[in-house]
Structure formats: structure tokens, C-alpha cells
Amino acid sequence: MEFRNLRSQYKELKNDIDASIQQVLDCSNYISGQQVRELEGRLAEYVGVKHCITCANGTDALVLALMAFGVTSDDAVFVPDFTFFSTAEAPASLGAAPIFVDVDRATYNIDPDQLEKSIERVLSEGVYQPKVVIAVDLFGLPADYDRIREICDKYGLLLLEDGAQGFGGMYKEKRACSFGDISTTSFFPAKPLGCYGDGGAIFTDNDEWDVLLRSLCVHGKDGADKYENVHIGMNSRLDTLQAAILLPKLKAFKEYEIDWVNQRAIIYNERLKDLGVKLPEVSSGYMSSWAQYTIQLHDELEREKIQKYLAECGIPTMVYYKKALHRQKAFVNESIYDNNKNTMLLTKTVLSLPISPYILQQDIELICEKISNFFGLN
Ligand SMILES: *Cc1c(COP(=O)(O)O)cnc(C)c1O
């Protein structure tokens, strides 16, 4: 069994993907080919925002968004403490101070009460200027955007949605990647919508940011002219080949993959509900895109044992994430954040199980049977 089965998706879509790649080879327009523009149009339409700007990966997407916001080394950028490194790396790479906020234990997403406390603390310290909140849609579930938006409005902060894992999810009929002033996603192969290499995208309704982001992606170019440079930007584009691969993959994602993966999650929920492990919670009004199906064990030792037992049964599992962001060596002297209780607990108890639209029902049954054996119920 594989943790995320990318090969069965390719088998299903092989004809369309191969033909789409061949078109690019025939035209040999490898950078900014017509497929890139077509994909941007389709992504914007699906997400329900005015503009989509593709780029080289989800990390660049975050950095570009923060550059468009004008983030500097005077600024504080609030990030969840429990997420992938990029979320905090992006503001830190611009010299801004990442402020690590504890997450909600049930949703794994940034806790709005803790966010407000962190903003108040930064204001009272007076060293950094609160500027941006980065909310992550962790494991596929959109964050609490009603409360987060309210807090951003109250303190005059910009909202950046890191939808690298959230693409396809929904809250109150709105798609993930439409909640931020700017939102971003990643097409890393294992994300809900992945390409065959690195890729990313930025979404916004704002016309000026659209123009600025398109410039920043290509060396700060002036409109269409790459040799007139009006900003210090970067080189961050999605290859035409990756756009060509994403076009048929997006179609399958919209038409059935997002439904399939939700059906798989329901099977897990039903089979695991009486075993005493904490299951992922999707509150009413939300839909997850199930980048991960993550359960919580009682403690670190139990997690270690069950992970080992499942590995012996041929079932791969992953720990996302073993370390609070503030504990990463790249961030020094951040021990005040050891008070982030839920983050500290989750790093010891979470375990992600195999999930994808293509995982077989019988594989899920087997995984759940083994977990139930582990707890001695059978
Ligand atoms: C994967 C990921 C990113 C970065 O995306 P890349 O395309 O790998 O650069 C950023 N944020 C989160 C939450 C992610 O999971």
C-alpha cells in the first residue's frame, strides 16, 4: 500500500495527460505557453476569484503575496504554530517576525482567541507592527474565516490564506483560496491538486495586486516587457508542461475526485468511530479536501507503537507534524511559544493515515481493522 497513490490517478487519466504533454512538446513553448493562461482562467473560475497568477511553487506564492502586501522587517506576521515550515519561512525570508499562534485541537487550524491575544501582546510590546495574518487550511479543512476576518478588520490587518493543502475545500459555499485578501496554493505532487513537479498559484480579487504579482513573478517586469524592470522581483513561473498536466487533472478533480476523497473519509469516520481515537472534525458548513486524514492518539508512546504495528502490517503512515514551528532550529529563542498547549500536544499525538480519491475501499477496511486489532477489540 502507498501513502498517497499517485500512480492509480495517472493510470485513470493517462490518455488525457499524455496528449496534453504531447501538445506542449509539439509547440515547444515551454515557458508561459497558452496552457498557463488557460489554466489560470479555469482555476480562478473554480475558486470564484477574479485573478489567478501561477508561479513556481507554494512557498514562492506565499513570499510573492507578502511582497505584494509590502511586508518589511518592521512587521509582525501571525502564523499557526502547527503547520508546514513554509508558512513561517515566507515572512521570515523577508525579514518580518513570524508570531507563532496556537491552533484549535479539533480543527488543527489557527485558534482565533489565541490569535487575538497574540496581536494584543505584539501591540503592547511595541517592537513589531502587526501587519498580516496567515491562516492555513490544514489537512484540507478551511480555517475559521468568519472570526479571522473579523479580527483582521478590528486590527487593520491583511489576511493571507495559505491554501496549499486546502484547494477544493469549502466554507459556506465559498471555495478555499477565496478567503484571503490574497490566497495561495501549491501543486506539489502530493497536495489535493498536484502536478508532476513543483508548482503554485496565487488568487486575488484585487486588480492592482494582480498586476503587481504578475510583475513580481517575472523579475519585476513592466507590463509585458521582461527587459524593463520596475520592481525587485523573482523568477517564479509555472512551466507550460506542468500547466498542461494540471488541465486534465483539474477537470477530474472538479468532476469526481473531490467527491471520491470525501466518500473515503466517511468510510474512515464510520469504521474508526468507536475506537477511542480522536477523529478529524468537519463542522457544519465546512467541506474538507482531505489533504490528510489525521487522527489523534492518547500519547507519544501509543502513537509510536501503533505506527510501528501498522508498518509491520504493510500500512504506511506519516506524522504531520512532529515539531512545533517555533521549535525548529531556524527559529531561535522562541521558547515563549512553548505555552502553545494544543500545538505541543498535537506534535506528540497526531498520525496521518493513507487517503486519496483513488485509495480502495478494501484498503481502508484493512487499515481500520488493523487499528481496531491494535486496540484489542477484535
Ligand atoms: C506544501 C505547503 C506549502 C509549500 O508548498 P510548496 O509548493 O512545497 O513550496 C506551504 N504551506 C503549506 C501549509 C504546505 O502544506
Side-chain angles (χ1 to χ4, degrees), residues 105 151 199 240 329:
R105 197 185 152 190
I151 293 168
T240 311
K329 261 196 199 139

PDB file of all heavy atoms in Angstrom, residues 105 151 199 240 329:
ATOM      1  N   ARG A 105      -7.543  22.356  18.819  1.00  0.00           N
ATOM      2  CA  ARG A 105      -7.205  20.940  18.867  1.00  0.00           C
ATOM      3  C   ARG A 105      -8.090  20.109  17.940  1.00  0.00           C
ATOM      4  O   ARG A 105      -7.658  19.091  17.405  1.00  0.00           O
ATOM      5  CB  ARG A 105      -7.344  20.437  20.311  1.00  0.00           C
ATOM      6  CG  ARG A 105      -6.619  19.133  20.497  1.00  0.00           C
ATOM      7  CD  ARG A 105      -6.819  18.532  21.858  1.00  0.00           C
ATOM      8  NE  ARG A 105      -6.678  17.081  21.728  1.00  0.00           N
ATOM      9  CZ  ARG A 105      -6.968  16.223  22.659  1.00  0.00           C
ATOM     10  NH1 ARG A 105      -7.417  16.640  23.819  1.00  0.00           N
ATOM     11  NH2 ARG A 105      -6.817  14.931  22.439  1.00  0.00           N
ATOM     12  N   ILE A 151     -11.335  39.646  13.145  1.00  0.00           N
ATOM     13  CA  ILE A 151     -10.144  40.086  13.895  1.00  0.00           C
ATOM     14  C   ILE A 151      -9.235  40.935  13.001  1.00  0.00           C
ATOM     15  O   ILE A 151      -8.718  41.972  13.424  1.00  0.00           O
ATOM     16  CB  ILE A 151      -9.392  38.851  14.471  1.00  0.00           C
ATOM     17  CG1 ILE A 151     -10.247  38.180  15.543  1.00  0.00           C
ATOM     18  CG2 ILE A 151      -8.032  39.256  15.031  1.00  0.00           C
ATOM     19  CD1 ILE A 151      -9.755  36.799  15.978  1.00  0.00           C
ATOM     20  N   GLY A 199       4.906  23.449  -8.356  1.00  0.00           N
ATOM     21  CA  GLY A 199       4.037  24.457  -8.951  1.00  0.00           C
ATOM     22  C   GLY A 199       3.242  25.142  -7.867  1.00  0.00           C
ATOM     23  O   GLY A 199       3.107  24.613  -6.758  1.00  0.00           O
ATOM     24  N   THR A 240       5.024  25.473 -18.692  1.00  0.00           N
ATOM     25  CA  THR A 240       3.905  25.110 -19.565  1.00  0.00           C
ATOM     26  C   THR A 240       3.566  23.622 -19.422  1.00  0.00           C
ATOM     27  O   THR A 240       2.390  23.242 -19.414  1.00  0.00           O
ATOM     28  CB  THR A 240       4.243  25.422 -21.039  1.00  0.00           C
ATOM     29  OG1 THR A 240       4.745  26.755 -21.135  1.00  0.00           O
ATOM     30  CG2 THR A 240       3.011  25.289 -21.921  1.00  0.00           C
ATOM     31  N   LYS A 329      15.012  24.673  14.488  1.00  0.00           N
ATOM     32  CA  LYS A 329      16.300  25.324  14.758  1.00  0.00           C
ATOM     33  C   LYS A 329      16.446  26.656  14.043  1.00  0.00           C
ATOM     34  O   LYS A 329      17.133  27.555  14.525  1.00  0.00           O
ATOM     35  CB  LYS A 329      17.456  24.405  14.340  1.00  0.00           C
ATOM     36  CG  LYS A 329      18.043  23.658  15.511  1.00  0.00           C
ATOM     37  CD  LYS A 329      19.410  23.074  15.160  1.00  0.00           C
ATOM     38  CE  LYS A 329      19.741  21.984  16.157  1.00  0.00           C
ATOM     39  NZ  LYS A 329      20.369  20.819  15.544  1.00  0.00           N
TER      40      LYS A 329
END
